Amino acid sequence: MVEYLDIGYEYGSNDLVAEYYAEPAKGLTLEKAAEHLAKESSIGTWTDISTMNERIATKLKPHIFEVDKKKNIVKIAYPSELFENGNMAQVYSAIAGNIFGMNAVKNLRLEDIDFPIKMIKGFKGPKFGIRGVRKLLKVKDRPLAGTIVKPKVGLNPSQHAKVAYNAWVGGLDIVKDDENLTSMKFNKFEERIIKTLELRDRAESETGERKMYMPNVTAETQTMLKRAEFVKEHGGEYVMIDILTAGWSGLQSLREADLGLVIHAHRAMHGALTRNERHGISMIALAKTARIIGVDQIHIGTAVGKMHGGTGEVKMLEIEVEEKFVPENDNQHILEQEYANLKPVFAVASGGLHPGLTAPLMDILGKNVIMQYGGGCHGHPEGTRAGAVAIRQSIDAKIKGIDVKTYARTHKELAFALKKWGYKK
Ligand code: CAP
Ligand code: MG
């Protein structure tokens, strides 16, 4: 009989620690439910088995070292021998696999994972990180501002490139493809890359600023790698990948190809995992995992909360950022904080943003954030270029410490934006 409950066990440098929120099934204590979790995510199954042996039962068993009945929190330390070096899919198949469907729990959420250094070394980690991206863009210490070409899909390559150009010359640093734009009949990947990078070069020479294009390479892995190579051959510096729909292995293949391209991680589908605070996987765990595999920037949500009031049609902001991303005691968001010698990576805030929300967002996420405005740029009454100007004006106002309403009195593009969408102090 393997004993998994080991309250007070002192985990060490050989252990991966997983923190779960768990609601035990009716008739089960939290300890009992935790034992089912520990078994099913490692060496056991629902009943005792004759094929278990002493070595497995002692060397490979995980230790449930904390059970907090008030908060329904369970912490389990797994010996790293349970995991294949450099294989993130296998790690999640173990600690985030069958257990979500077990009858022993009514709800279960993987809240956080602490990987041992020896496991982190099995992955490449971020190549550029905040410093590398800032060096590339030659932007020292303000937040980066970007847009997403809209409509999300439907434009042809020339139209797509033109929208990007207007955003760049209006002052934005970065233009990205939307998460569901890859290579369709009306917008083939290769043609879009060539045309958009041509106008990126024109925008750079006209503005004297570096401009970045983030093409979405999400696809079957071999195709993804071919597309990333195509971007590199044509002078691109960035690729974007939908990390959850492409999967951990797809992300690993892209990173381990080591093409020298900045990797932007979009988190499309995250809501299926992160939205329910009682069941699924936290964005903290997902973002940490992506950083270990090696992304340079990742979407974490918008921290300015649901929009109350404000004029005009306001898209309800996407899910607020998980509070742990912005710890009370530190003005750095969690992704820029020191973690296992991994480069700090940019947090990306996107989703329903417009110039009226820039100031509170910067208050919460600080300067190492990439703020992306899709509708909040192309929905500007005077069009994309003016939308981009308004966005930069909203950032300038914040950096100068001037209230956005006051700043708008002498900056008409910003005034138009505030009139349409309102603002939050
Ligand atoms: C934003 C966006 C982003 C989501 C991602 C969209 O467009 O392009 O993909 O915001 O959400 O498709 O909605 P808008 P998150 O600026 O027009 O909202 O960053 O929370 O993953
Ligand atoms: Mg999008």
Side-chain angles (χ1 to χ4, degrees):
M1 168 83 166
V2 184
E3 186 47 61
Y4 296 92
L5 208 54
D6 190 356
I7 303 301
Y9 167 78
E10 307 251 317
Y11 65 85
S13 59
N14 187 53
D15 291 317
L16 176 147
V17 173
E19 176 187 327
Y20 297 95
Y21 166 85
E23 290 175 14
K26 204 163 166 329
L28 275 186
T29 62
L30 187 55
E31 286 86 348
K32 257 297 162 235
E35 284 182 352
H36 284 286
L37 294 180
K39 258 192 271 193
E40 185 57 40
S41 55
S42 63
I43 57 174
T45 183
W46 59 275
T47 179
D48 293 338
I49 44 179
S50 60
T51 46
M52 182 55 74
N53 67 46
E54 193 50 27
R55 180 182 57 79
I56 297 172
T58 48
K59 293 271 177 263
L60 291 180
K61 79 162 184 177
H63 303 258
I64 304 163
F65 65 92
E66 195 176 311
V67 174
D68 179 334
K69 292 185 184 165
K70 280 206 206 73
K71 295 182 187 154
N72 279 69
I73 291 292
V74 169
K75 289 184 187 173
I76 304 176
Y78 294 85
S80 55
E81 289 78 7
L82 284 171
F83 307 107
E84 179 188 359
N85 192 39
N87 183 343
M88 196 56 84
Q90 185 266 340
V91 173
Y92 269 68
S93 295
I95 65 168
N98 292 351
I99 52 177
F100 285 113
M102 290 173 57
N103 292 329
V105 286
K106 272 195 312 236
N107 281 299
L108 179 70
R109 191 178 203 244
L110 174 56
E111 292 289 357
D112 203 351
I113 315 170
D114 219 350
F115 292 82
I117 297 287
K118 60 162 59 171
M119 282 183 70
I120 292 174
K121 287 194 175 350
F123 300 92
K124 282 196 168 294
K127 184 174 188 75
F128 294 86
I130 294 174
R131 279 168 59 110
V133 168
R134 285 193 178 283
K135 196 157 158 267
L136 202 57
L137 268 160
K138 297 188 174 40
V139 173
K140 276 212 178 57
D141 59 3
R142 65 166 166 77
L144 301 179
T147 189
I148 310 101
V149 173
K150 303 279 179 183
K152 296 172 84 109
V153 293
L155 298 177
N156 65 35
S158 305
Q159 293 163 331
H160 183 98
K162 190 80 181 112
V163 170
Y165 170 79
N166 286 330
W168 280 317
V169 294
L172 298 188
D173 306 298
I174 296 172
V175 175
K176 67 183 268 302
D177 288 349
D178 227 327
E179 69 280 356
N180 54 333
L181 176 64
T182 51
S183 189
M184 284 79 141
K185 282 198 190 68
F186 49 77
N187 193 328
K188 286 292 178 200
F189 180 84
E190 291 74 11
E191 198 188 346
R192 177 167 82 249
I193 301 318
I194 291 168
K195 288 188 185 309
T196 309
L197 287 176
E198 266 167 18
L199 291 191
R200 186 257 340 241
D201 295 345
R202 189 190 304 172
E204 283 192 335
S205 54
E206 285 173 12
T207 60
E209 293 180 337
R210 293 301 325 271
K211 301 295 178 185
M212 296 294 146
Y213 172 41
M214 304 200 290
N216 183 4
V217 295
T218 305
E220 171 283 324
T221 303
Q222 291 314 313
T223 308
M224 201 153 55
L225 296 177
K226 282 199 194 91
R227 288 180 181 168
E229 275 150 13
F230 186 87
V231 169
K232 184 154 177 84
E233 282 152 24
H234 288 79
E237 284 115 340
Y238 258 92
V239 286
M240 160 181 160
I241 172 175
D242 298 339
I243 55 172
L244 298 176
T245 48
W248 296 134
S249 299
L251 175 60
Q252 272 192 248
S253 300
L254 181 63
R255 173 69 187 97
E256 288 165 17
D258 213 357
L259 296 169
L261 296 166
V262 181
I263 298 180
H264 175 95
H266 196 287
R267 60 177 189 166
M269 192 172 71
H270 78 90
L273 299 170
T274 60
R275 186 154 204 163
N276 179 339
E277 291 179 0
R278 295 169 58 194
H279 189 84
I281 302 176
S282 77
M283 191 59 220
I284 301 276
L286 297 175
K288 228 179 199 177
T289 302
R291 182 178 177 186
I292 287 169
I293 294 175
V295 303
D296 299 296
Q297 42 199 70
I298 180 167
H299 288 237
I300 63 162
T302 43
V304 287
K306 299 282 169 274
M307 192 58 192
H308 300 291
T311 54
E313 180 248 329
V314 176
K315 170 179 176 182
M316 286 308 282
L317 287 179
E318 307 251 337
I319 305 164
E320 290 175 40
V321 71
E322 304 223 1
E323 72 289 341
K324 274 201 223 165
F325 267 113
V326 195
E328 292 302 318
N329 57 349
D330 192 325
N331 62 0
Q332 282 191 323
H333 59 73
I334 198 167
L335 294 170
E336 63 184 306
Q337 290 178 2
E338 161 51 38
Y339 178 58
N341 286 332
L342 290 169
K343 289 192 178 85
V345 304
F346 264 112
V348 178
S350 176
L353 287 187
H354 56 76
L357 293 174
T358 300
L361 190 63
M362 285 171 64
D363 282 339
I364 295 171
L365 287 176
K367 65 178 185 186
N368 285 322
V369 60
I370 297 174
M371 301 184 289
Q372 288 180 176
Y373 308 69
C377 176
H378 313 296
H380 189 281
E382 294 197 324
T384 295
R385 188 169 184 154
V389 172
I391 292 162
R392 277 297 287 273
Q393 288 168 347
S394 67
I395 295 172
D396 294 347
K398 183 65 187 164
I399 290 170
K400 291 173 185 163
I402 301 170
D403 168 78
V404 68
K405 197 82 179 115
T406 312
Y407 205 71
R409 286 197 204 117
T410 52
H411 296 82
K412 71 175 179 63
E413 296 84 356
L414 183 55
F416 274 122
L418 300 189
K419 187 159 177 290
K420 178 166 184 180
W421 294 307
Y423 68 101
K424 215 171 173 184
K425 276 198 181 303

